[in-house]
Amino acid sequence: MIEKFTNDKVSEILKSAGLRLTDARVGVLSVLAESEGALSQEQIAEKLADIAPNKTTIYRVLESLVRKGIVHKAFTRERSVYFELGDNCSEKQCHPHFTCTSCDRTVCLTDVEVPLAGIGEKGFEIHHQKVEIQGLCPGCSVEG
Amino acid sequence: MIEKFTNDKVSEILKSAGLRLTDARVGVLSVLAESEGALSQEQIAEKLADIAPNKTTIYRVLESLVRKGIVHKAFTRERSVYFELGDNCSEKQCHPHFTCTSCDRTVCLTDVEVPLAGIGEKGFEIHHQKVEIQGLCPGCSVEG
DNA sequence: ATTTTGTTGCAACTGAGTTGCATTGTTGAT
DNA sequence: ATCAACAATGCAACTCAGTTGCAACAAAAT
Ligand SMILES: [Mn+2]
Ligand SMILES: [Mn+2]
Ligand SMILES: [Zn+2]
Ligand SMILES: [Zn+2]
């Protein structure tokens, strides 16, 4: 598996954000860094079986990472929040997420750009635009 | 208050969808038809104090209306789902929703169009694209 | 080493939404 | 109008993701 971040890199990110280096924090951030897509608390816990932090701890770690902008809440599904690194987002927009209604998988469209809504002249100030798409993924949309 | 739908219109919609005319169903649909924005189960219940349907009933009514496409799940906030009529949506995209991080209000941008993500040539088939925006509303974005 | 302050585990809690089941209401046919 | 078929409702109990209070603990600064 290709590590997106080394352990040192994770430590550096946390330190320069003014966050303490704890096993739980390093673990959660590493798991998110190595993940293809967004993960729920439960999925993160599964991948941290060695450290086995309490679920409260995971939620509090995630909260701290979100507050620093290191991690984003990507989307909510089945009443669970899914978290991912904030590094694949532009200033005002996160990459879109596509969920296939057939195979029920969610894909990060990291290279897709959707223009910001044109609501500036109406006085709205956009800080963050999120796009969620439902439909059929290439695998499920069999044609021919 | 301007009624978007008359009682007769609500009845007609339900009948042509093959749904039975019950007090709860007529009530919920009327409330949504008269509302400016999306409403949670709790908000709908407040506006139906006269009928006072059980919350389970409201959820089941909403489910039936969503299944028929009459009502959409607009967004999730604070772990609550907000419902609204599906009539302000185009075929493949619902209107964007803007939430102000200052006054905490959510606005339906019914007249705003955001282009669909260009992922057709990658094999994705878009059924529904949802856009959520965070930022400052005209009232809170004081300038000058 | 000591202090300061942030972090953790645990258990109890919260609250939106769901489920099973007995009862009631709507509808279409007679 | 009556009736049968089936959908809708109310209620209570439940689920389960996420939260809270607090005492024990660990990281960082001195
Ligand atoms: Mn993503
Ligand atoms: Mn809306
Ligand atoms: Zn698929
Ligand atoms: Zn505002």
Side-chain angles (χ1 to χ4, degrees), chain B residues 100 102-103 137 140:
Chain B
C100 178
S102 175
C103 67
C137 74
C140 294

Side-chain angles (χ1 to χ4, degrees), chain A residues 19-49:
Chain A
L19 293 174
R20 290 191 180 177
L21 285 178
T22 65
D23 290 351
R25 194 125 59 195
V26 172
V28 168
L29 185 51
S30 299
V31 163
L32 288 177
E34 288 163 13
S35 173
E36 282 292 308
L39 300 173
S40 65
Q41 181 277 323
E42 199 178 4
Q43 292 174 318
I44 294 169
E46 283 169 16
K47 304 197 180 227
L48 284 179

Side-chain angles (χ1 to χ4, degrees), chain A residues 73 75-77 79-81 130 132, chain B residues 37-43 59 73-83 97-108 130-135 137:
Chain A
K73 293 184 181 183
F75 53 88
T76 302
R77 257 183 81 187
R79 304 188 59 67
S80 293
V81 176
K130 216 180 268 190
E132 280 178 59
Chain B
L39 299 173
S40 65
Q41 181 278 322
E42 199 177 3
Q43 293 174 317
Y59 280 120
K73 293 184 182 184
F75 53 87
T76 302
R77 257 183 80 188
E78 315 280 332
R79 305 189 58 66
S80 293
V81 177
Y82 286 74
F83 299 86
H97 288 98
F98 184 98
T99 300
C100 178
T101 55
S102 175
C103 67
D104 217 48
R105 268 189 283 260
T106 297
V107 184
C108 297
K130 216 181 269 190
V131 176
E132 279 178 59
I133 307 169
Q134 306 253 22
C137 74

Side-chain angles (χ1 to χ4, degrees), chain A residues 100 102-105 136-137 139-140:
Chain A
C100 177
S102 174
C103 66
D104 218 47
R105 269 189 283 258
L136 294 176
C137 75
C140 293

Side-chain angles (χ1 to χ4, degrees), chain A residues 113-132:
Chain A
E113 276 286 331
V114 174
L116 289 179
I119 54 178
E121 70 274 3
K122 284 173 185 145
F124 291 97
E125 191 178 307
I126 297 180
H127 291 166
H128 202 78
Q129 175 168 307
K130 216 180 268 190
V131 176
E132 280 178 59

Side-chain angles (χ1 to χ4, degrees), chain A residues 36 84 87-90 93-98 107-115 133, chain B residues 117-122 124:
Chain A
E36 282 292 308
E84 68 182 354
D87 64 347
N88 272 317
C89 303
S90 65
Q93 182 162 207
C94 192
H95 57 269
H97 289 98
F98 185 99
V107 184
C108 296
L109 303 172
T110 51
D111 54 350
V112 175
E113 276 286 331
V114 174
I133 308 170
Chain B
I119 54 178
E121 69 274 2
K122 284 172 185 146
F124 290 97

